[in-house]
Amino acid sequence: MAEVAPAFVGQFGPNINVRNFKAALEELGFSETYEVALGADIGAIAEAHHYVNKVTTGELPFLLTSCCPSWAMLAKKFFPDLIDQISQELTPMVATARTIKQEHPNAKVVFIGPCAAKKLEASRRTVRSDVDFVVTFEELQAMFDAKGIDLTAYEAESSFHDATGAGRGYACAGGVAKAIEECINEYYPGTQVNIEHAEGLAECKKILTLAKAGRMNGCLIEGMGCPGGCVAGAGTNIPIPIAKKDVAAYVKNSSRALPPKELEEIELK
Ligand code: SF4
Protein backbone atom coordinates (compact mmCIF):
# COMPACT_ATOMS: atom_id res chain seq x y z
CA MET A 1 0.00 0.00 0.00
CA ALA A 2 1.17 3.51 -0.72
CA GLU A 3 1.13 6.52 1.59
CA VAL A 4 1.73 9.75 -0.28
CA ALA A 5 3.20 12.92 1.25
CA PRO A 6 1.16 16.11 0.76
CA ALA A 7 3.84 17.67 -1.46
CA PHE A 8 2.81 15.26 -4.26
CA VAL A 9 0.46 17.80 -5.84
CA GLY A 10 1.72 18.87 -9.26
CA GLN A 11 4.86 16.70 -9.05
CA PHE A 12 3.86 14.39 -11.92
CA GLY A 13 2.89 16.99 -14.50
CA PRO A 14 0.67 20.07 -14.74
CA ASN A 15 -2.30 18.14 -16.14
CA ILE A 16 -2.18 15.24 -13.72
CA ASN A 17 -4.93 15.31 -11.13
CA VAL A 18 -5.34 13.20 -8.00
CA ARG A 19 -7.51 10.65 -9.77
CA ASN A 20 -4.91 10.13 -12.53
CA PHE A 21 -2.20 9.75 -9.91
CA LYS A 22 -4.15 7.26 -7.78
CA ALA A 23 -5.00 5.09 -10.78
CA ALA A 24 -1.42 5.15 -12.06
CA LEU A 25 -0.19 3.96 -8.65
CA GLU A 26 -2.64 1.09 -8.87
CA GLU A 27 -1.32 0.26 -12.33
CA LEU A 28 2.17 0.20 -10.83
CA GLY A 29 1.00 -2.42 -8.32
CA PHE A 30 -0.24 -0.62 -5.21
CA SER A 31 -3.52 -1.97 -3.85
CA GLU A 32 -4.50 1.22 -2.00
CA THR A 33 -3.20 4.77 -1.65
CA TYR A 34 -3.59 7.01 1.41
CA GLU A 35 -2.61 10.58 2.14
CA VAL A 36 0.20 11.19 4.63
CA ALA A 37 -1.69 14.42 5.34
CA LEU A 38 -3.92 12.16 7.44
CA GLY A 39 -0.95 11.54 9.75
CA ALA A 40 -0.22 15.27 9.65
CA ASP A 41 -3.77 15.90 10.88
CA ILE A 42 -3.17 13.42 13.70
CA GLY A 43 0.08 15.26 14.54
CA ALA A 44 -1.57 18.69 14.43
CA ILE A 45 -4.27 17.60 16.90
CA ALA A 46 -1.69 16.07 19.25
CA GLU A 47 0.70 19.05 19.03
CA ALA A 48 -2.14 21.51 19.67
CA HIS A 49 -3.05 19.69 22.91
CA HIS A 50 0.63 19.34 23.81
CA TYR A 51 1.33 23.06 23.38
CA VAL A 52 -1.66 24.05 25.50
CA ASN A 53 -0.98 21.48 28.22
CA LYS A 54 2.79 21.89 28.44
CA VAL A 55 3.95 25.24 27.04
CA THR A 56 1.15 27.58 28.10
CA THR A 57 1.34 26.06 31.60
CA GLY A 58 5.10 26.68 31.77
CA GLU A 59 5.96 22.98 32.13
CA LEU A 60 8.05 23.20 28.93
CA PRO A 61 9.70 26.48 27.84
CA PHE A 62 8.85 25.92 24.16
CA LEU A 63 7.98 23.11 21.75
CA LEU A 64 9.89 21.99 18.66
CA THR A 65 7.99 20.21 15.90
CA SER A 66 9.28 16.78 14.91
CA CYS A 67 8.00 16.04 11.41
CA CYS A 68 11.21 16.95 9.51
CA PRO A 69 13.94 14.36 10.23
CA SER A 70 16.73 16.73 9.15
CA TRP A 71 15.61 19.39 11.64
CA ALA A 72 15.06 16.83 14.40
CA MET A 73 18.51 15.30 13.77
CA LEU A 74 20.15 18.75 13.78
CA ALA A 75 18.50 19.54 17.11
CA LYS A 76 19.47 16.20 18.65
CA LYS A 77 23.06 16.34 17.43
CA PHE A 78 23.99 19.97 18.07
CA PHE A 79 21.54 20.91 20.82
CA PRO A 80 21.19 17.76 22.94
CA ASP A 81 19.99 19.88 25.91
CA LEU A 82 16.84 20.68 23.96
CA ILE A 83 15.86 17.05 23.44
CA ASP A 84 12.91 17.24 25.85
CA GLN A 85 11.41 20.07 23.85
CA ILE A 86 11.28 18.05 20.61
CA SER A 87 7.76 16.77 20.21
CA GLN A 88 7.41 13.05 20.87
CA GLU A 89 4.40 12.78 18.58
CA LEU A 90 4.67 10.36 15.67
CA THR A 91 5.72 12.01 12.41
CA PRO A 92 3.01 12.14 9.70
CA MET A 93 4.77 9.33 7.79
CA VAL A 94 4.76 7.02 10.82
CA ALA A 95 1.30 8.00 12.11
CA THR A 96 -0.23 7.26 8.70
CA ALA A 97 1.65 3.97 8.30
CA ARG A 98 0.59 2.87 11.78
CA THR A 99 -3.05 3.73 11.03
CA ILE A 100 -2.87 1.71 7.80
CA LYS A 101 -1.33 -1.27 9.59
CA GLN A 102 -3.97 -1.20 12.31
CA GLU A 103 -6.56 -1.84 9.62
CA HIS A 104 -4.37 -3.99 7.36
CA PRO A 105 -1.86 -5.78 9.61
CA ASN A 106 -0.22 -7.70 6.76
CA ALA A 107 0.20 -4.73 4.45
CA LYS A 108 3.59 -3.56 3.24
CA VAL A 109 3.60 0.23 3.44
CA VAL A 110 5.60 2.35 1.01
CA PHE A 111 6.06 6.04 1.84
CA ILE A 112 6.17 8.16 -1.33
CA GLY A 113 7.49 11.65 -0.71
CA PRO A 114 9.90 14.45 -1.53
CA CYS A 115 12.46 13.54 1.06
CA ALA A 116 15.73 11.62 1.05
CA ALA A 117 16.06 12.02 4.85
CA LYS A 118 12.89 9.97 5.35
CA LYS A 119 14.91 6.91 4.27
CA LEU A 120 17.03 7.43 7.36
CA GLU A 121 13.95 7.91 9.56
CA ALA A 122 12.34 4.75 8.17
CA SER A 123 15.45 2.70 8.96
CA ARG A 124 15.20 3.53 12.69
CA ARG A 125 14.47 0.55 14.90
CA THR A 126 11.20 2.03 16.18
CA VAL A 127 9.93 2.91 12.71
CA ARG A 128 11.04 -0.10 10.66
CA SER A 129 7.95 -2.16 11.38
CA ASP A 130 5.61 0.68 10.37
CA VAL A 131 7.20 1.93 7.14
CA ASP A 132 8.59 -0.80 4.92
CA PHE A 133 10.02 1.27 2.05
CA VAL A 134 10.62 4.91 1.16
CA VAL A 135 10.46 6.11 -2.45
CA THR A 136 10.95 9.72 -3.57
CA PHE A 137 8.79 11.46 -6.19
CA GLU A 138 11.78 11.43 -8.50
CA GLU A 139 12.20 7.67 -8.07
CA LEU A 140 8.47 7.13 -8.55
CA GLN A 141 8.53 9.07 -11.81
CA ALA A 142 11.42 6.85 -12.94
CA MET A 143 9.25 3.79 -12.15
CA PHE A 144 6.35 5.21 -14.16
CA ASP A 145 8.76 5.87 -17.04
CA ALA A 146 10.34 2.41 -16.84
CA LYS A 147 6.90 0.78 -16.95
CA GLY A 148 5.75 3.08 -19.75
CA ILE A 149 2.86 4.38 -17.61
CA ASP A 150 1.31 7.51 -19.06
CA LEU A 151 -0.58 9.02 -16.13
CA THR A 152 -3.08 10.81 -18.37
CA ALA A 153 -4.38 7.44 -19.53
CA TYR A 154 -5.58 6.38 -16.05
CA GLU A 155 -8.35 7.75 -13.89
CA ALA A 156 -9.57 6.47 -10.54
CA GLU A 157 -13.23 6.73 -9.55
CA SER A 158 -12.54 9.04 -6.64
CA SER A 159 -10.04 11.55 -5.36
CA PHE A 160 -8.48 11.51 -1.86
CA HIS A 161 -10.79 12.00 1.11
CA ASP A 162 -8.50 11.18 3.99
CA ALA A 163 -7.17 14.51 5.13
CA THR A 164 -7.98 18.16 5.81
CA GLY A 165 -6.48 21.40 4.49
CA ALA A 166 -4.45 21.69 7.70
CA GLY A 167 -2.62 18.39 7.17
CA ARG A 168 -2.15 19.03 3.46
CA GLY A 169 -0.53 22.38 4.25
CA TYR A 170 2.38 20.59 5.97
CA ALA A 171 4.03 20.42 2.53
CA CYS A 172 5.16 24.06 2.64
CA ALA A 173 7.38 25.87 5.14
CA GLY A 174 5.21 27.54 7.77
CA GLY A 175 2.35 25.12 7.10
CA VAL A 176 3.03 22.89 10.09
CA ALA A 177 3.00 25.75 12.59
CA LYS A 178 -0.02 27.30 10.88
CA ALA A 179 -1.99 24.05 11.11
CA ILE A 180 -1.19 23.64 14.80
CA GLU A 181 -2.02 27.30 15.50
CA GLU A 182 -5.38 26.98 13.75
CA CYS A 183 -6.16 23.81 15.72
CA ILE A 184 -5.33 25.58 19.01
CA ASN A 185 -7.53 28.54 18.04
CA GLU A 186 -10.36 26.16 17.23
CA TYR A 187 -10.06 23.81 20.22
CA TYR A 188 -8.97 26.36 22.84
CA PRO A 189 -10.35 29.75 21.76
CA GLY A 190 -8.64 32.73 23.39
CA THR A 191 -5.30 30.93 23.92
CA GLN A 192 -2.27 33.07 23.12
CA VAL A 193 -0.17 31.13 20.55
CA ASN A 194 3.37 32.19 19.68
CA ILE A 195 4.52 30.68 16.43
CA GLU A 196 8.02 30.75 14.94
CA HIS A 197 9.37 28.91 11.96
CA ALA A 198 12.75 28.31 10.37
CA GLU A 199 13.51 26.89 6.94
CA GLY A 200 16.89 25.68 5.70
CA LEU A 201 19.44 24.22 8.09
CA ALA A 202 21.30 27.52 8.64
CA GLU A 203 18.10 29.21 9.82
CA CYS A 204 17.19 26.15 11.85
CA LYS A 205 20.54 26.30 13.66
CA LYS A 206 20.07 30.00 14.36
CA ILE A 207 16.61 29.56 15.86
CA LEU A 208 17.78 26.65 18.02
CA THR A 209 20.65 28.81 19.30
CA LEU A 210 18.13 31.50 20.24
CA ALA A 211 15.87 28.91 21.87
CA LYS A 212 18.77 27.54 23.91
CA ALA A 213 19.52 31.08 25.07
CA GLY A 214 15.94 31.43 26.35
CA ARG A 215 14.86 33.82 23.59
CA MET A 216 12.05 31.61 22.26
CA ASN A 217 10.21 30.85 25.47
CA GLY A 218 6.49 30.30 25.02
CA CYS A 219 6.90 29.49 21.33
CA LEU A 220 5.88 26.65 19.11
CA ILE A 221 8.83 26.36 16.72
CA GLU A 222 8.58 24.68 13.34
CA GLY A 223 11.82 23.68 11.66
CA MET A 224 12.12 22.51 8.06
CA GLY A 225 15.49 21.36 6.72
CA CYS A 226 14.75 22.45 3.15
CA PRO A 227 14.31 26.17 2.35
CA GLY A 228 10.67 26.27 1.29
CA GLY A 229 9.73 23.11 3.19
CA CYS A 230 8.94 19.70 1.70
CA VAL A 231 7.98 21.12 -1.70
CA ALA A 232 11.71 21.82 -1.97
CA GLY A 233 12.84 18.35 -0.90
CA ALA A 234 15.74 16.59 -2.59
CA GLY A 235 13.46 14.07 -4.33
CA THR A 236 11.02 16.50 -5.97
CA ASN A 237 10.39 16.93 -9.72
CA ILE A 238 9.17 20.50 -10.26
CA PRO A 239 10.24 24.11 -9.45
CA ILE A 240 9.44 25.20 -5.89
CA PRO A 241 7.20 28.22 -6.75
CA ILE A 242 4.95 26.02 -8.92
CA ALA A 243 4.78 23.33 -6.24
CA LYS A 244 3.84 25.94 -3.60
CA LYS A 245 1.05 27.28 -5.78
CA ASP A 246 -0.31 23.81 -6.50
CA VAL A 247 -0.27 22.85 -2.81
CA ALA A 248 -2.00 26.12 -1.85
CA ALA A 249 -4.81 25.40 -4.32
CA TYR A 250 -5.15 21.84 -3.03
CA VAL A 251 -5.33 23.08 0.57
CA LYS A 252 -7.94 25.68 -0.37
CA ASN A 253 -10.11 23.14 -2.17
CA SER A 254 -10.08 20.64 0.69
CA SER A 255 -13.57 19.75 1.84
CA ARG A 256 -12.57 20.17 5.51
CA ALA A 257 -10.20 22.85 6.80
CA LEU A 258 -9.33 21.38 10.20
CA PRO A 259 -9.28 17.95 11.84
CA PRO A 260 -11.62 17.15 14.78
CA LYS A 261 -10.42 17.83 18.33
CA GLU A 262 -10.40 14.18 19.35
CA LEU A 263 -7.87 11.80 17.78
CA GLU A 264 -10.39 8.94 17.98
CA GLU A 265 -12.54 10.66 15.39
CA ILE A 266 -9.84 10.30 12.72
CA GLU A 267 -10.30 7.38 10.36
CA LEU A 268 -9.07 5.97 7.06
CA LYS A 269 -11.48 6.40 4.18
S1 SF4 B 1 11.77 19.82 4.82
FE1 SF4 B 1 13.13 18.63 3.46
S2 SF4 B 1 14.31 17.30 4.84
FE2 SF4 B 1 12.54 18.06 6.02
S3 SF4 B 1 10.96 16.46 5.77
FE3 SF4 B 1 10.61 18.00 4.17
S4 SF4 B 1 11.73 17.24 2.38
FE4 SF4 B 1 12.50 16.13 4.18
Side-chain angles (χ1 to χ4, degrees):
M1 293 188 176
E3 54 161 341
V4 183
F8 80 92
V9 196
Q11 293 289 329
F12 299 91
N15 305 320
I16 303 303
N17 62 34
V18 176
R19 289 163 65 188
N20 300 133
F21 181 55
K22 262 179 89 176
L25 283 171
E26 197 173 320
E27 179 64 20
L28 201 55
F30 290 102
S31 57
E32 299 274 355
T33 303
Y34 298 99
E35 288 187 87
V36 169
L38 173 85
D41 280 337
I42 293 172
I45 299 169
E47 307 269 20
H49 296 315
H50 203 74
Y51 179 83
V52 171
N53 294 330
K54 301 282 180 185
V55 180
T56 61
T57 57
E59 199 175 314
L60 282 179
F62 50 85
L63 189 64
L64 306 176
T65 58
S66 63
C67 54
C68 171
S70 304
W71 151 260
M73 187 61 82
L74 177 86
K76 281 179 194 156
K77 196 162 174 190
F78 293 102
F79 300 87
D81 308 350
L82 304 187
I83 210 150
D84 290 342
Q85 274 79 255
I86 302 172
S87 167
Q88 298 300 312
E89 301 305 334
L90 298 176
T91 65
M93 173 179 81
V94 179
T96 310
R98 211 166 270 188
T99 307
I100 294 170
K101 289 204 171 176
Q102 272 161 9
E103 296 222 357
H104 308 279
N106 298 321
K108 290 281 178 210
V109 174
V110 180
F111 171 81
I112 298 171
C115 185
K118 287 281 175 193
K119 292 182 190 258
L120 183 67
E121 183 188 342
S123 67
R124 284 171 49 192
R125 193 182 43 79
T126 50
V127 175
R128 253 182 245 160
S129 57
D130 297 309
V131 181
D132 296 284
F133 301 98
V134 171
V135 169
T136 66
F137 296 143
E138 195 181 15
E139 290 164 341
L140 183 68
Q141 183 62 61
M143 290 178 197
F144 285 141
D145 293 345
K147 284 270 237 171
I149 295 175
D150 169 8
L151 278 76
T152 57
Y154 299 91
E155 187 154 320
E157 280 180 9
S158 64
S159 185
F160 285 138
H161 300 292
D162 296 315
T164 72
R168 290 170 177 169
Y170 267 50
C172 297
V176 179
K178 183 168 176 278
I180 300 167
E181 182 179 24
E182 287 174 355
C183 287
I184 295 170
N185 291 337
E186 173 79 11
Y187 310 156
Y188 302 97
T191 305
Q192 166 81 27
V193 196
N194 303 309
I195 297 289
E196 292 288 342
H197 93 268
E199 45 186 293
L201 291 177
E203 241 183 50
C204 287
K205 208 165 177 183
K206 201 165 141 195
I207 211 165
L208 288 168
T209 307
L210 291 171
K212 191 176 172 186
R215 304 266 300 276
M216 290 285 147
N217 286 353
C219 290
L220 169 74
I221 308 170
E222 171 201 306
M224 297 294 245
C226 302
C230 295
V231 286
T236 52
N237 297 329
I238 61 172
I240 301 164
I242 296 175
K244 272 188 179 168
K245 213 165 125 243
D246 289 347
V247 169
Y250 191 52
V251 167
K252 194 165 166 237
N253 293 331
S254 301
S255 51
R256 287 170 302 147
L258 291 178
K261 187 175 179 181
E262 305 303 333
L263 276 174
E264 294 71 29
E265 290 172 36
I266 293 261
E267 56 182 51
L268 282 178
K269 294 204 181 79

